[in-house]
Amino acid sequence: MSTMSCSSNLSLAGTRTVLPPCRPAAQQLTSRRRRSSSRLVVTSALSTDETKAPAKEKPASVIGDMERGTLAEESGRSDGQLTSRWREIHGSNNWEGLLDPIDTVLRGELIRYGEFAQACYDSFDYDRFSRYCGTCKYPPKTFFDDVGLAGVGYDVTRYIYATSHVHLPNFSIAKHNPLDDRMWSETATFIGFIAVSSDQETSRIGRRDIAVAWRGTVTKLEWVEDVSAFLRPIGQYGIPCEDPKVKVEAGFADLYTGKDPSCKFCKYSAREQVLAEVRKLVELYAGKGEEVSVTVTGHSLGSAMAMLSAFDIAETGANVSPSADVKAPVCVYSFSGPRVGNTWFGERFEKELGIKALRILNVHDTVPKVPGIFTEALLPMPLLRLADALGLPSVYSHIGVLLALDHEVSPFLKRTFDLACYHNLEAHLHLLDGYTGRGREFELGGRDPALVNKAADFLKDEHMVPSGWRQELNKGMIRTEEGKWTLPHRPRDVEEHPDDTDLHLAQLGLAVAAAT
């Protein structure tokens, strides 16, 4: 896998910095007016034997003629139904009857949360020569505006940091120390964010939603080789599950719970950061009598973090408001994620804790097929449980409901052997946008297909969209008055942890971080 491109955002080396896409207001307005006339219909997704072959005619390109597709309401995918249907969309009935054909409201929500995960990539400082390499480039107050998701209706309340770990060395990127002792951190890495719906958005979606978004690897797909497939009881990581049979992949758990007391950004583990913030927000809004939900999303390795954190939130009780005696439902929208734990982990996750999970993947992607020797792909679930009970090594099982997509049915995507394209998150969102059901027509719903090539080379050449087009002008280099090119130092305030973190951890019965 050493020759593969990065999982979602880097088809080149990991030194790229990016800028949010933008279009003039007049062009956006024109796109909205013309959208109804530019809808494209082709035979789609996971065809069955009865399905007719796709039409051979080449469709006219509609690149640049579609909406950004950020808001379900704006692109006509919601129709004001979320207020009354949010529990169903959140998985209360395990999405029965909503996937084939796909419910348009659900599809809009999946794209919205997928864009949250994509925003983690788009905001990440990839430039190893930057003193802020590994940070989020944008402040929380303007985060969604800066990544091109203005009007999304959420406000970031906290960034999540993780420390580099020996078990997953490719999760972060190598930093170049400028030798002036001004690098923000040698070990910390921005890994995601927590956001909460605004008052207006809360009214539209029917509840106060707490969103936790995780990014995946920012280097090449070599991280897959770093997955040890070594299972350990989840209780060994401080997660209060007393059943030693419940096990998870060691590298994922190490990344989730690891911390560095010498670093002010990693003195709390990613786990502690998430639990403290979710507990604070649940208590704040449920204490006011509001309905509250917790929605966790992630792509690739971030999907593994999403599964672990959702389990932990429910197991630890961070989704419970003591003052209101209310438990917020927890749901995971996973994009192209690997297996995380054994069959006992899945049983505890779904049946005992009641967490809902919907897994979205491209059937040609390799990442969802790891890790594991004995898996649900090889053995029926009863035999897999037996193998687990007998203590066979490397017994893994996926969790949740599957929504399988196929990139070969999109008329916009070219045939390629680049496995990173199969795994690309923007490609998944494009496939979601056109998916109507198994063996049904592929019909674009509002997202601009050009986004697929934001950091990949996956669109057909006829659409005239360059590969990897989203990057900063001259990679941040400027020309001085003397005519020399240089990378200037741009001071940036890196968000630290809220002062009340220890308080909320103590309320959950967790030990507070040591003072630094």
Side-chain angles (χ1 to χ4, degrees):
M1 291 203 176
S2 59
T3 60
M4 298 180 191
S5 301
C6 152
S7 66
S8 176
N9 274 302
L10 293 182
S11 55
L12 303 175
T15 58
R16 174 179 299 165
T17 53
V18 295
L19 290 174
C22 59
R23 289 188 295 164
Q27 184 180 353
Q28 294 178 8
L29 180 59
T30 301
S31 292
R32 290 194 178 100
R33 288 175 177 173
R34 296 175 60 187
R35 187 170 68 90
S36 60
S37 63
S38 62
R39 298 179 72 85
L40 179 66
V41 178
V42 297
T43 304
S44 171
L46 289 178
S47 59
T48 61
D49 293 339
E50 294 78 14
T51 304
K52 295 181 180 179
K56 295 182 179 180
E57 296 180 6
K58 288 187 177 181
S61 177
V62 295
I63 299 292
D65 214 24
M66 309 298 289
E67 292 181 38
R68 176 70 174 89
T70 298
L71 294 178
E73 196 74 20
E74 285 189 2
S75 58
R77 294 192 293 263
S78 172
D79 300 325
Q81 299 180 40
L82 271 175
T83 303
S84 60
R85 296 185 58 202
W86 75 265
R87 290 187 179 275
E88 178 189 17
I89 300 300
H90 210 245
S92 62
N93 295 322
N94 292 312
W95 298 281
E96 291 184 8
L98 301 181
L99 301 179
D100 189 17
I102 187 127
D103 183 275
T104 55
V105 178
L106 172 62
R107 182 173 59 184
E109 288 299 281
L110 293 178
I111 291 175
R112 184 239 291 273
Y113 289 106
E115 288 183 331
F116 283 1
Q118 181 65 44
C120 295
Y121 292 115
D122 292 348
S123 62
F124 188 79
D125 190 341
Y126 296 96
D127 187 354
R128 69 186 185 93
F129 293 103
S130 168
R131 291 178 175 86
Y132 303 102
C133 178
T135 64
C136 177
K137 296 190 296 183
Y138 311 123
K141 289 184 178 179
T142 60
F143 177 83
F144 288 114
D145 288 347
D146 292 334
V147 296
L149 297 178
V152 74
Y154 280 69
D155 299 306
V156 172
T157 64
R158 182 175 190 150
Y159 288 154
I160 308 169
Y161 299 97
T163 182
S164 303
H165 203 282
V166 65
H167 288 155
L168 291 169
N170 287 297
F171 180 75
S172 186
I173 53 179
K175 300 177 182 179
H176 177 76
N177 194 326
L179 301 179
D180 59 5
D181 199 30
R182 287 188 292 175
M183 178 171 280
W184 76 287
S185 171
E186 291 287 347
T187 59
T189 301
F190 167 72
I191 191 176
F193 64 85
I194 302 172
V196 64
S197 57
S198 64
D199 291 345
Q200 182 178 358
E201 186 69 2
T202 294
S203 177
R204 188 185 74 84
I205 65 178
R207 84 284 189 191
R208 184 74 65 172
D209 185 46
I210 301 165
V212 183
W214 299 87
R215 69 164 175 83
T217 177
V218 297
T219 58
K220 299 178 181 180
L221 284 178
E222 291 162 347
W223 71 268
V224 174
E225 298 176 356
D226 299 327
V227 176
S228 65
F230 183 68
L231 290 159
R232 286 183 179 174
I234 197 169
Q236 292 185 6
Y237 297 92
I239 298 173
C241 177
E242 297 180 356
D243 188 348
K245 298 189 298 296
V246 177
K247 299 179 180 181
V248 294
E249 200 279 326
F252 300 155
D254 285 336
L255 180 64
Y256 179 60
T257 60
K259 56 184 175 181
D260 179 4
S262 67
C263 174
K264 62 183 178 180
F265 299 99
C266 290
K267 67 177 181 178
Y268 301 106
S269 65
R271 176 191 184 227
E272 291 169 334
Q273 296 166 51
V274 170
L275 292 180
E277 191 68 14
V278 170
R279 173 58 182 272
K280 175 173 70 175
L281 295 173
V282 168
E283 178 63 17
L284 172 63
Y285 293 108
K288 296 178 180 179
E290 296 186 26
E291 284 194 281
V292 178
S293 65
V294 179
T295 309
V296 192
T297 188
H299 169 255
S300 188
L301 188 56
S303 170
M305 297 297 101
M307 293 292 190
L308 278 175
S309 59
F311 182 99
D312 196 13
I313 287 168
E315 189 74 82
T316 307
N319 61 323
V320 176
S321 168
S323 64
D325 192 24
V326 170
K327 179 185 293 186
V330 181
C331 167
V332 179
Y333 293 130
S334 159
F335 293 86
S336 193
R339 299 183 183 95
V340 177
N342 64 355
T343 60
W344 300 103
F345 175 73
E347 290 277 332
R348 179 72 178 167
F349 186 102
E350 296 180 297
K351 295 183 178 180
E352 298 177 40
L353 297 178
I355 306 168
K356 304 299 181 179
L358 181 59
R359 297 187 298 113
I360 300 97
L361 58 80
N362 177 1
V363 294
H364 302 281
D365 188 11
T366 59
V367 171
K369 301 174 184 178
V370 299
I373 298 174
F374 301 99
T375 70
E376 80 291 337
L378 179 66
L379 298 173
M381 189 54 67
L383 291 181
L384 193 62
R385 293 193 183 99
L386 178 60
D388 215 351
L390 292 175
L392 295 183
S394 196
V395 178
Y396 281 84
S397 176
H398 269 304
I399 298 173
V401 177
L402 173 64
L403 175 56
L405 307 172
D406 184 347
H407 73 255
E408 291 187 355
V409 303
S410 169
F412 293 92
L413 305 181
K414 64 185 178 183
R415 296 298 177 94
T416 177
F417 294 106
D418 187 347
L419 301 184
C421 287
Y422 305 169
H423 189 58
N424 182 275
L425 179 53
E426 283 288 3
H428 279 70
L429 299 183
H430 165 70
L431 295 176
L432 264 178
D433 187 54
Y435 179 74
T436 57
R438 184 181 177 87
R440 294 174 180 264
E441 295 174 328
F442 187 96
E443 182 178 355
L444 288 176
R447 286 190 106 250
D448 189 338
L451 294 167
V452 171
N453 267 18
K454 181 191 294 183
D457 185 12
F458 206 3
L459 286 174
K460 293 179 178 179
D461 292 345
E462 65 197 60
H463 297 299
M464 302 295 291
V465 178
S467 62
W469 55 260
R470 191 177 190 272
Q471 57 183 312
E472 189 173 348
L473 179 65
N474 298 324
K475 294 190 175 181
M477 295 284 287
I478 63 170
R479 194 173 187 180
T480 66
E481 294 180 354
E482 293 78 19
K484 296 182 178 181
W485 288 88
T486 182
L487 185 68
H489 172 54
R490 297 183 175 93
R492 182 190 305 163
D493 291 329
V494 182
E495 292 294 319
E496 298 184 33
H497 301 296
D499 294 334
D500 57 4
T501 299
D502 286 341
L503 170 63
H504 296 291
L505 289 176
Q507 291 174 349
L508 289 169
L510 302 179
V512 299
T516 58

